[in-house]
Amino acid sequence: MLYKRDLYDNPQAIAEVIVESYNQGVRAINLFNDAQLLKAYDIACEQGCEMKVIATIGKSDVDYLNPNYEIAKEADWEGDIDLFSNYDCPLMLVDEFIVDAYDWRLTSKILSSINDTDSISGLITSFPLRTTELIPENLEMDLFDFYMVPFNAISYMMDITAFNVAQREEFKQKLISLNKKVIASRILACGVLKPKEAFEFYKKIDYIDLISIGVAKVEEAREDFTLLKEY
């Protein structure tokens, strides 16, 4: 309730976080089709803080812990593509609840529609082990170029129970075999890890191309991105 009142229901507060992130050197932002979020981004842009937009396509309001994939597949992904085609949006990613529904025909259709725009396409998954294993058997690999997966030192919110050395190597090889640009999300394990812990872990990782960090306060943006510059 506090998060909703203090941040989500207050586009000005969201815009202040975006502006501080920009001031700390961030030049890309992951957006989805949400009126409050897009209003906040517009406010930030009015203050000179234009970023490259990495768009999530087909995001739906489903319960993360118990998702209804059939409802997720009904998201207006075509409208999302049309919307973000009006932004400086070099990359559009298909939402995880569509990808992880394993309706490969639908996923292929969305990727093809993205590829018909000026943007390149990618996938998001919540199940980096299982989905990574299934992709080569079910998708044409030239349909997409980027792949976003949850990835952190304690395997939090990953479908890997014990992230020991052998499992990390197996996971690494699976990702490398896709031959795609990999974006890591949830690197702070939803706040379980301190930024310094997460960044120390990533210093040893050489097969991740980009990282996505969620920040909810101006102070967090300042502290996290200032620290990140040291790594």
Side-chain angles (χ1 to χ4, degrees):
M1 290 178 62
L2 290 175
Y3 170 82
K4 187 174 187 301
R5 184 195 68 190
D6 296 340
L7 190 67
Y8 179 75
D9 289 341
N10 187 351
Q12 179 59 47
I14 301 174
E16 290 172 1
V17 176
I18 296 172
V19 170
E20 180 59 33
S21 300
Y22 183 86
N23 291 339
Q24 293 297 328
V26 176
R27 292 295 181 268
I29 183 170
N30 183 204
L31 297 178
F32 58 92
N33 189 356
D34 177 90
Q36 296 288 82
L37 182 58
L38 295 179
K39 183 177 180 180
Y41 182 65
D42 288 342
I43 294 171
C45 287
E46 290 170 1
Q47 299 179 41
C49 149
E50 295 188 32
M51 300 180 179
K52 299 291 184 183
V53 171
I54 310 302
T56 296
I57 301 300
K59 188 171 180 61
S60 54
D61 185 19
V62 300
D63 182 354
Y64 190 91
L65 296 178
N66 188 29
N68 185 322
Y69 292 105
E70 294 306 311
I71 291 178
K73 290 193 296 182
E74 295 174 0
D76 182 15
W77 56 268
E78 292 173 302
D80 290 351
I81 292 174
D82 289 341
L83 170 69
F84 286 110
S85 292
N86 296 313
Y87 285 74
D88 184 3
C89 182
L91 174 61
M92 298 185 189
L93 304 170
V94 183
D95 185 67
E96 59 203 298
F97 292 120
I98 293 178
V99 174
D100 293 337
Y102 303 137
D103 183 337
W104 301 109
R105 180 175 297 181
L106 174 61
T107 300
S108 296
K109 184 177 181 180
I110 300 173
L111 290 171
S112 295
S113 296
I114 294 171
N115 293 334
D116 287 338
T117 71
D118 292 331
S119 301
I120 56 179
S121 64
L123 304 173
I124 307 174
T125 184
S126 293
F127 304 113
L129 189 60
R130 182 183 180 195
T131 301
T132 303
E133 291 175 342
L134 291 173
I135 284 174
E137 304 169 6
N138 295 281
L139 277 181
E140 293 184 27
M141 297 301 290
D142 59 356
L143 275 177
F144 69 103
D145 295 287
F146 282 78
Y147 188 42
M148 179 182 280
V149 300
F151 185 42
N152 53 72
I154 58 175
S155 68
Y156 185 76
M157 299 191 80
M158 299 174 64
D159 57 344
I160 301 173
T161 53
F163 212 12
N164 57 37
V165 174
Q167 287 175 319
R168 287 182 184 175
E169 181 61 26
E170 178 187 6
F171 182 60
K172 171 183 176 180
Q173 295 306 321
K174 289 183 184 299
L175 284 181
I176 291 175
S177 69
L178 291 181
N179 194 31
K180 304 298 177 183
K181 295 290 187 182
V182 179
I183 308 172
S185 65
R186 305 187 187 112
I187 71 166
L188 303 180
C190 297
V192 177
L193 294 172
K194 298 295 184 184
K196 187 172 183 179
E197 294 176 291
F199 300 156
E200 287 285 354
F201 171 70
Y202 270 91
K203 281 185 68 174
K204 306 168 186 175
I205 303 297
D206 61 359
Y207 52 95
I208 300 295
D209 299 285
L210 302 94
I211 60 173
S212 172
I213 303 177
V215 290
K217 296 180 180 179
V218 169
E219 295 79 12
E220 287 181 5
R222 184 178 303 122
E223 293 171 6
D224 292 359
F225 295 127
T226 297
L227 180 62
L228 182 59
K229 294 172 189 175
E230 300 177 10
Y231 289 85

